[in-house]
Amino acid sequence: KNIMIMNRVANKAISAALRTTSARTFTTTAPSAAKVAVLGAAGGIGQPLSLLCKLSPEVTELSCYDIVGTPGVAADLSHIPTKSSTTGSLPAPVSWPLRGDGGLEETLKGADIVVIPAGVPRKPGMTRDDLFNTNASIVKTLVEGCA
């Protein structure tokens, strides 16, 4: 039941984002095609978020990126029978399906929506300030890649 509620929330968020990104065109309905990039897709939040995006009928392409494990996550998601295609990239030239180097740039190319669940969990002895600074630098790097 919780997954169904989260899926409805994800679909509404994607639909709302699509409506705001298409403000330059005159239409009475939201476009039904969107490329979604999930940066931090292999983590504890990124994996279920990527799954919900893959299940959304609004998403036609799901592009996943993380520093480790992303090709495996993308391969798992690609087995779900939906209309959307799934790709996964790492900072290194390893990716799924196998192709050349590209990493973050390839993941972001043509993305209509970018979601960043990337970050590290708090470790023992780490202050909240340390955690904030570490995660802020991760997000800063990813946002610079978006720009």
Side-chain angles (χ1 to χ4, degrees), residues 3-98:
I3 291 176
M4 289 178 55
I5 292 170
M6 289 175 63
N7 196 12
R8 279 191 228 132
V9 170
N11 283 339
K12 287 180 183 179
I14 291 169
S15 295
L18 286 173
R19 280 193 297 276
T20 59
T21 59
S22 64
R24 301 187 91 191
T25 60
F26 180 76
T27 181
T28 57
T29 60
S32 61
K35 176 179 179 181
V36 176
V38 180
L39 310 181
I45 302 299
Q47 284 187 28
L49 178 65
S50 297
L51 173 64
L52 291 174
C53 289
K54 175 70 174 171
L55 294 173
S56 173
E58 302 289 332
V59 176
T60 55
E61 187 177 349
L62 177 62
S63 190
C64 303
Y65 177 85
D66 210 327
I67 59 171
V68 66
T70 317
V73 171
D76 289 344
L77 291 171
S78 70
H79 294 294
I80 299 170
T82 63
K83 68 177 183 172
S84 63
S85 63
T86 307
T87 58
S89 299
L90 297 168
V94 178
S95 57
W96 173 263
L98 298 175

Side-chain angles (χ1 to χ4, degrees), residues 10 29 35 69 92 113 116 137-138:
T29 60
K35 176 179 179 181
I113 300 170
I116 306 178
S137 68
I138 293 169

